[in-house]
């Protein structure tokens, strides 16, 4: 009998994070299998927007077009929400311009305006769009499912992981009955109640929940009785919009009970009437979910041949739309590294950088979400705090700080190096040939950008055992002479003086290749 197949990587969980990771792994040559317990994509209303790091990850993989098409349809829906009673909906162009001024919220304070940022702020050169794009999580999942199919990723639905066994050579996963699947590595992308995390003993410390939240798409009999947007009351907080029928309620009376029970129309109506104080009735429910605000994070993202990503590694409240984006960032960071290890292009210690780079990012997000819960509490002391925070957000510096915080502009990795771009997302440079730097990342490799015009850096990339694409061009007003950018879009090396100083070391560190100084090349 033929020996059962051993996969390079087994991904438990076929939501957006698992699919994004599988796409990245496959793009870099790994043999990957995705197991998803649900037979169909989960259409329950969840995250509603993607931020700058996610948008730029999609741009690098040539996935922006579907997002732009969805945005066009979404604007028409928002226009209906903004229509005054008895008047036609505003023109979509008016809505588009108004949306440009919305940089998200912090604790329900919608004061953040990206159009007030300085055009020459160096933190803004990583993108050419808004810090947020409204796109429901189910649409992101559909986009990534299509991408996975294009890349030939095998996704098995209706298959739940129930047991995990590890040894020195790999991982064996049992799914339901007798079926056992073998892989060299296992990545748990199976959500906040991750079976993989529990089965393999990851520490998961954090803070306990204190709220009960509901989010739903519903039909309301008198929607005009509800304020539009975010409203804080003596009981809690409720949200109405930005699309017709979307509601969210938050009550500060402890975590929800019966988390696994279906959310009923009566439950939603009771919460909405209680928090809003309005006489409204919910007549139909399209999609609904409960949530709370327990905030926890594993102490390390890897235990031997098992790794975690997304909600399996960190959970928190949904405020500020951070969770989906945080998980996509995990997948983008881990994908190329794990593929390099399983394909023999890198030593296993490259995987240690996954925790060291991503753990601080998630820890900061947990702080952000805890702060927002505190800022939304009922009571006069919180009201006073909100007044002070509102004044701060009205200032130039305060607005910039919070727009960049929510939009993901502030994310950095500690990669060493003395150039200010090292460790941050690459700038969206427009090159002389009409392309952008992002256009050269569709195949997922490293990019070495030579802006000196002399093609002098190419020799340093010769012999690297990972794909290092050398792009020689010019870029207006960049002040740069060269950049080395990792597959995840983060800058690993940069110079402005026309030399290659530090480049061999950066190539050696990240491509795991001994990059000797080529004959005739100058390093200083």
């Amino acid at each position: 009998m033929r020996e059962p197949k051993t996969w390079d990587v087994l991904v438990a969980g076929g939501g957006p994070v698992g699919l994004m990771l599988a796409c990245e792994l496959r793009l870099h040559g790994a043999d990957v299998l995705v197991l998803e317990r649900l037979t169909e994509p989960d259409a329950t209303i969840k995250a509603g927007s993607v931020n700058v790091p996610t948008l730029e990850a999609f741009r690098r993989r040539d996935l922006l077009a579907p997002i732009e098409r969805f945005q066009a349809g979404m604007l028409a829906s928002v226009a209906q929400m903004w229509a005054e009673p008895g008047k036609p909906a505003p023109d979509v162009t008016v809505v588009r311009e108004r949306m440009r001024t919305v940089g998200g919220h912090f604790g329900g304070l919608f004061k953040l305006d990206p159009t007030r940022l300085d055009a020459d702020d160096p933190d803004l050169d990583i993108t050419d769009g808004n810090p947020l794009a409204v796109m429901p999580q189910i649409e992101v999942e559909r986009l990534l499912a299509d991408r996975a199919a294009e890349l030939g990723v095998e996704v098995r639905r209706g298959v739940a992981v129930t047991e995990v066994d590890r040894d020195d050579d790999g991982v064996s996963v049992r799914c339901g009955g007798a079926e056992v699947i073998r892989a060299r590595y296992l990545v748990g992308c199976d959500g906040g109640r991750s079976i993989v995390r529990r089965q393999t003993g990851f520490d998961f410390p954090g803070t306990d929940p204190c709220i009960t939240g509901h989010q739903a798409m519903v039909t309301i009999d008198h929607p005009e009785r509800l304020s539009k947007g975010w409203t804080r009351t003596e009981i809690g907080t409720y949200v109405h919009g930005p699309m017709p029928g979307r509601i969210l309620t938050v009550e500060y009376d402890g975590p929800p009970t019966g988390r696994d029970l279906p959310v009923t129309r009566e439950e939603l109506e009771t919460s909405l009437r209680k928090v809003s104080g309005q006489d409204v009735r919910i007549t139909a429910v399209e999609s609904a979910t409960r949530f709370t605000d327990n905030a926890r994070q594993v102490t390390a993202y890897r235990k031997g041949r098992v790794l975690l990503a997304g909600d399996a590694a960190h959970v928190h409240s949904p405020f500020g739309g951070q969770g989906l984006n945080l998980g996509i960032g995990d997948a983008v960071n881990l994908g190329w590294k794990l593929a390099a290890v399983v394909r023999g292009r890198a030593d296993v210690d490259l995987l240690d950088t996954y925790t060291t780079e991503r753990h601080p990012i998630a820890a900061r997000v947990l702080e952000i979400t805890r702060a927002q819960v505190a800022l939304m509490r009922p009571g006069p002391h919180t009201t006073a705090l909100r007044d002070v925070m509102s004044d701060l957000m009205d200032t130039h510096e305060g607005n910039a700080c919070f727009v960049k915080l929510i939009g993901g502009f502030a994310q950095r990795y500690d990669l060493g190096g003395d150039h200010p771009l090292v460790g941050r997302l690459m700038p969206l440079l427009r090159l002389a040939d009409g392309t952008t730097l992002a256009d050269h990342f569709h195949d997922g490799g490293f990019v070495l950008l030579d802006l000196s015009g002399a093609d002098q850096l190419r020799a340093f990339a010769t012999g690297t055992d990972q794909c290092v694409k050398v792009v020689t061009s010019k870029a207006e007003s960049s002040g740069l002479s060269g950049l080395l950018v990792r597959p995840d879009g983060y800058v690993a090396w940069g110079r402005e003086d026309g030399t290659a100083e530090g480049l061999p070391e950066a190539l050696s560190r990240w491509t795991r290749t001994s990059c000797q100084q080529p004959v005739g090349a100058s390093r200083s």
Side-chain angles (χ1 to χ4, degrees):
M1 295 181 61
R2 187 173 63 179
E3 286 290 325
K5 178 174 181 176
T6 297
W7 298 83
D8 286 337
V9 182
L10 178 62
V11 177
V17 176
L19 290 172
M20 187 71 186
L21 176 61
C23 289
E24 292 294 290
L25 287 164
R26 190 74 199 106
L27 190 63
H28 292 90
D31 196 14
V32 56
L33 171 65
V34 178
L35 302 180
E36 168 53 50
R37 65 178 181 82
L38 298 179
T39 57
E40 298 291 338
D42 185 2
T44 303
I45 182 170
K46 294 181 181 178
S49 63
V50 291
N51 65 9
V52 167
T54 300
L55 285 170
E56 293 311 309
F58 289 165
R59 185 194 303 276
R60 291 192 303 275
R61 301 300 184 250
D62 198 23
L63 294 174
L64 280 191
I67 296 177
E68 293 169 351
R69 288 194 295 269
F70 178 83
Q71 291 288 296
M74 178 275 301
L75 289 172
S77 178
V78 173
Q80 292 293 327
M81 181 74 182
W82 288 353
E84 297 294 333
K87 296 182 180 180
D91 188 86
V92 170
T93 57
V94 175
V95 177
R96 181 180 289 108
E97 287 304 306
R98 183 172 171 184
M99 291 291 288
R100 288 184 63 249
T101 68
V102 178
H105 72 91
F106 193 88
L109 289 171
F110 265 90
K111 309 280 289 187
L112 310 182
D113 183 354
T115 64
R116 292 172 50 201
L117 299 176
D118 288 336
D120 58 353
D121 186 330
D123 284 340
L124 306 186
D125 66 3
I126 62 177
T127 184
D128 63 356
N130 289 345
L132 297 173
V134 177
M135 189 172 187
Q137 181 166 318
I138 183 61
E139 297 298 330
V140 176
E141 183 170 337
R142 287 170 179 153
L143 168 65
L144 293 174
D146 289 344
R147 173 64 167 167
E150 291 174 3
L151 292 171
V153 174
E154 183 175 347
V155 179
R156 297 182 188 174
R157 288 195 166 274
V159 180
V161 173
T162 56
E163 294 181 33
V164 178
D165 293 316
R166 296 171 291 162
D167 55 48
D168 292 340
D169 298 321
V171 183
S172 297
V173 171
R174 187 176 299 277
C175 305
E179 182 182 13
V180 176
I181 300 174
R182 182 75 176 170
R184 296 171 62 193
Y185 285 87
L186 168 66
V187 185
C189 301
D190 51 340
R193 304 181 194 182
S194 170
I195 294 296
V196 173
R197 185 187 66 235
R198 296 176 182 181
Q199 286 273 322
T200 48
F202 281 82
D203 292 330
F204 199 42
T207 53
D208 294 330
C210 64
I211 69 171
T212 293
H214 295 89
Q215 185 174 205
M217 291 296 296
V218 300
T219 302
I220 305 171
D221 63 348
H222 286 286
E224 73 280 358
R225 294 176 182 172
L226 298 173
S227 300
K228 296 175 182 177
W230 286 66
T231 303
R232 182 169 165 266
T233 71
E234 295 181 356
I235 302 297
T237 299
Y238 77 92
V239 184
H240 182 211
M243 286 79 70
R246 187 256 183 167
I247 61 167
L248 181 149
T249 64
V250 181
E251 301 174 60
Y252 281 82
D253 55 358
T257 58
R259 288 293 302 275
D260 296 324
L261 297 176
V263 181
T264 65
R265 183 197 63 79
E266 293 79 10
E267 179 182 347
L268 291 171
E269 183 176 280
T270 298
S271 181
L272 182 60
R273 288 169 62 86
K274 176 182 176 182
V275 176
S276 70
Q278 299 299 317
D279 183 16
V280 293
R281 303 288 175 180
I282 293 177
T283 59
V285 179
E286 177 184 336
S287 173
T289 186
R290 300 181 193 89
F291 63 88
T292 188
D293 64 326
N294 57 311
R296 300 183 180 278
Q297 182 183 20
V298 293
T299 53
Y301 286 14
R302 171 176 168 247
K303 291 188 72 172
R305 291 180 176 269
V306 179
L307 302 101
L308 302 176
D311 290 350
H314 37 71
V315 295
H316 50 81
S317 77
F319 304 127
Q322 301 293 300
L324 170 63
N325 298 287
L326 188 59
I328 294 293
D330 290 346
V332 172
N333 184 283
L334 176 60
W336 68 274
K337 296 175 180 177
L338 184 52
V341 171
V342 299
R343 302 304 294 170
R345 297 191 298 260
D347 295 332
V348 70
D349 62 354
L350 179 62
L351 296 179
D352 295 335
T353 67
Y354 173 51
T355 294
T356 58
E357 292 175 9
R358 293 303 297 173
H359 195 280
I361 302 295
R364 181 61 168 158
V365 167
L366 263 64
E367 291 179 346
I368 292 170
T369 57
R370 289 186 182 112
Q372 291 185 82
V373 170
L375 196 58
M376 292 163 56
R377 287 180 178 277
H381 292 85
T382 304
T383 298
L385 177 60
R386 290 175 69 86
D387 288 342
V388 173
M389 287 291 290
S390 180
D391 290 342
L392 174 61
M393 291 178 186
D394 282 336
T395 67
H396 179 79
E397 294 81 3
N399 176 71
C401 174
F402 284 99
V403 168
K404 290 194 282 188
L405 189 67
I406 295 298
F409 291 96
Q411 293 183 9
R412 300 286 192 278
Y413 298 151
D414 183 7
L415 303 185
D418 56 4
H419 195 279
L421 292 183
V422 172
R424 57 160 285 183
L425 273 174
M426 67 183 195
L428 186 63
L429 295 177
R430 301 191 181 279
L431 306 180
D433 62 2
T435 66
T436 67
L437 180 54
D439 293 331
H440 297 277
F441 282 84
H442 294 175
D443 60 2
F446 287 80
V447 170
L448 178 59
L449 179 63
D450 186 348
L451 294 170
S452 68
D455 200 21
Q456 63 174 333
L457 303 181
R458 183 178 300 274
F460 285 93
T462 302
T464 54
D465 59 358
Q466 294 197 40
C467 175
V468 180
K469 178 188 295 183
V470 181
V471 177
T472 302
S473 186
K474 292 284 188 180
E476 293 184 2
S477 305
S478 72
L480 295 165
S481 61
L483 282 180
L484 175 65
V485 185
R486 304 190 318 188
D488 58 359
Y490 280 79
V491 176
W493 170 87
R495 298 296 295 183
E496 297 177 359
D497 60 4
T499 74
E501 184 178 349
L503 177 58
E505 291 81 5
L507 283 166
S508 177
R509 178 183 183 186
W510 296 114
T511 70
R512 291 306 200 255
T513 299
S514 179
C515 302
Q516 302 298 326
Q517 180 177 338
V519 176
S522 173
R523 293 183 55 193
S524 61

